Amino acid sequence: MAAISKPPCDRRAAIPDPRPAPRSDPRPDPRPRHDAQTPASTLAHAAMLYYREGLTQGEIARRMGVSRATIVNYLRQARDLGVVEIRIRGESFAASSLARRLAQRYGLTDAYVAHDDTTPLSPDTMQLRVAGLAASALCDILQPGDRLGVAWGHTVQHLATAFPISAVPGLTVYQMLGSMYSQHHFAAETCSIEIARKTSAECRTLHAPAVVSTPELADQLRREPIIARQIAEFAQLTKAVFAVGDVSPDTTLVAAGVCTLAELDDARGRGAVGVLCGHFIDRDGNGLDGPLRDRMLGISPETLQAVPVRMLVSSGRAKHDATRALLMGGHASHLVTDEASAQVLLSDWSDVNTA
C-alpha cells in the first residue's frame, strides 16, 4: 500500500510578522462588500445598462456575452450588495389626496401615507413598509448642518435599517433617550448609530440609562457635567424622528424594562393613551406627571415639541389613539403612517371611540 506523503511544512508561516497591525477605523465603512466571484465593476456595468440606459435583460445578455439568467443574477447581486440602490423619494407619497387631507386636518407640514395591497398586509409587514417610507422621507428633508434627534423602538429600528446610504455634510445625530438592558430587544443607541453610519455623521450617544431606580438618582445624574451637557444639546436640535408607543400590556416600554405592569396600570388609570419618548401622554397629547417621568433620563416632551421639524412614524390599529393624541397635542410636524390608519385619523374622534 502506497504511503501518503505530507506536503512540506512552510516554516515561514510560523515566523511572526514584526510589522504592526493596521489600526481599525472606529467608524464602520458604509461601502458595500463584493462577492469575489463577480467583480463589482461587472455588477455596476450590468446595473447601468439596465437602470440608466433602459436596456432589457436580454439585450444586456447579448452585449455582455452571457445568458439572461446570469444578468438576472447580476442585478440581484447589485441590489443585495448595495452596488446599486433603488431609492423612491418619500415626498412623492405626500402628494396623494389622503396625505394632503391628513396634513390639513392636523396642521402638519407634510404627511406621507404608505398604501396597502389588495390583500391586506400583516401588521408586521405594514410596519416595515411604513418604516421604509419614513426612511426615504427623512433622507429627503435632511440638510447639511442639521442636528437630528433619534428615539428608539421597533419602528425606529426598522427605519434605521432601511435608511439609504447618503452622506449629509455636517450632520450630527443625537440619541434622545437613555440606554437600557434587555436580552430580547435592541439597544437604544443602535438606532442613532446606524443612521449616523449611513449618513457619515457624527453620533452623540447619551451616556445614561433610560430610567433609574429613584427620582433622586435621576436628578443627581442630570447634574453630572457630561450628561447635563448632552441633555442641554437637545434644545439645539433642528429635526427629530420618533414613533409612538401604546399602553397595552405588551408595549415596548414594559418589554424593555422601562416600566412595570403596575406602573403601566397606574398611568392608564390616570388617562394615559400612549407613550412619547418614554413619557405617558393623555388623549389631548399632554404629558402625565408621575414617578416614572421623574426617573427618566432623556429628552422631555416639552423640549421635543420645540424642535422645528418633528417626524412621527406610526403604523397599526394599536397605535391609533396614541397617534391621534400626539397630533392633537401638536407634537409632530410630519407624519408617516399607513393607509388604514390615515382613514381612521381623518374620522371624527367620537366615531372612532364608539365603533
Side-chain angles (χ1 to χ4, degrees):
M1 179 176 179
I4 300 175
S5 62
K6 296 182 179 180
C9 176
D10 185 356
R11 296 186 180 277
R12 291 175 298 174
I15 301 175
D17 189 344
R19 295 172 297 178
R23 295 181 62 183
S24 59
D25 188 346
R27 178 175 294 178
D29 188 350
R31 293 175 298 180
R33 296 179 179 178
H34 310 299
D35 186 344
Q37 296 180 353
T38 306
S41 58
T42 300
L43 301 180
H45 179 57
M48 182 184 68
L49 294 176
Y50 186 71
Y51 292 107
R52 181 169 295 176
E53 298 188 15
L55 272 64
T56 67
Q57 295 171 354
E59 290 170 334
I60 298 170
R62 287 191 291 274
R63 284 199 181 190
M64 297 183 67
V66 297
S67 68
R68 183 178 177 278
T70 298
I71 296 301
V72 171
N73 185 51
Y74 282 172
L75 296 175
R76 179 188 59 77
Q77 287 187 66
R79 292 192 301 270
D80 292 346
L81 296 173
V83 173
V84 63
E85 292 182 354
I86 300 174
R87 181 180 167 194
I88 302 172
R89 296 190 65 84
E91 62 189 22
S92 303
F93 289 85
S96 70
S97 173
L98 187 60
R100 291 198 302 269
R101 287 190 289 127
L102 197 58
Q104 183 179 11
R105 168 68 178 83
Y106 290 99
L108 301 169
T109 302
D110 267 321
Y112 310 82
V113 179
H115 296 282
D116 204 343
D117 293 347
T118 304
T119 301
L121 300 176
S122 69
D124 289 343
T125 303
M126 179 55 77
Q127 184 185 44
L128 290 172
R129 180 172 291 184
V130 169
L133 171 55
S136 296
L138 180 60
C139 185
D140 287 345
I141 65 174
L142 284 178
Q143 298 292 325
D146 265 337
R147 295 169 177 253
L148 173 66
V150 178
W152 58 268
H154 290 293
T155 301
V156 179
Q157 179 66 39
H158 292 322
L159 181 156
T161 300
F163 203 91
I165 297 175
S166 178
V168 181
L171 175 67
T172 305
V173 178
Y174 295 82
Q175 177 186 339
M176 294 196 298
L177 292 172
S179 301
M180 67 208 69
Y181 172 78
S182 175
Q183 294 180 335
H184 306 290
H185 289 78
F186 52 84
E189 58 270 20
T190 59
C191 301
S192 303
I193 291 172
E194 181 67 2
I195 292 177
R197 183 184 73 85
K198 291 182 173 179
T199 54
S200 299
E202 181 180 354
C203 187
R204 303 279 181 86
T205 55
L206 182 56
H207 303 302
V211 63
V212 294
S213 55
T214 65
E216 293 75 21
L217 178 56
D219 187 58
Q220 183 178 355
L221 287 174
R222 292 189 196 100
R223 292 198 301 268
E224 285 291 321
I226 294 178
I227 298 176
R229 183 167 63 250
Q230 289 178 310
I231 293 177
E233 289 179 334
F234 292 151
Q236 305 301 318
L237 296 178
T238 58
K239 292 180 173 70
V241 60
F242 52 94
V244 62
D246 61 81
V247 290
S248 64
D250 58 350
T251 178
T252 303
L253 209 62
V254 173
V258 175
C259 79
T260 64
L261 283 173
E263 290 170 328
L264 178 66
D265 289 339
D266 174 71
R268 282 194 303 221
R270 292 185 289 112
V273 299
V275 179
L276 171 62
C277 291
H279 297 274
F280 290 114
I281 56 167
D282 64 19
R283 63 182 294 166
D284 296 319
N286 301 315
L288 294 177
D289 292 328
L292 180 62
R293 179 185 175 110
D294 296 335
R295 295 189 289 114
M296 294 289 297
L297 292 170
I299 195 168
S300 67
E302 295 77 20
T303 301
L304 179 60
Q305 198 165 22
V307 178
V309 176
R310 307 172 304 282
M311 180 173 285
L312 167 61
V313 187
S314 176
S315 174
R317 182 190 300 270
K319 305 292 181 67
H320 288 169
D321 287 352
T323 301
R324 187 190 295 271
L326 288 189
L327 295 177
M328 295 293 289
H331 292 285
S333 63
H334 295 65
L335 172 67
V336 186
T337 190
D338 59 86
E339 189 173 7
S341 296
Q343 296 286 2
V344 172
L345 291 169
L346 286 170
S347 64
D348 290 334
W349 178 276
S350 58
D351 291 342
V352 173
N353 285 276
T354 58

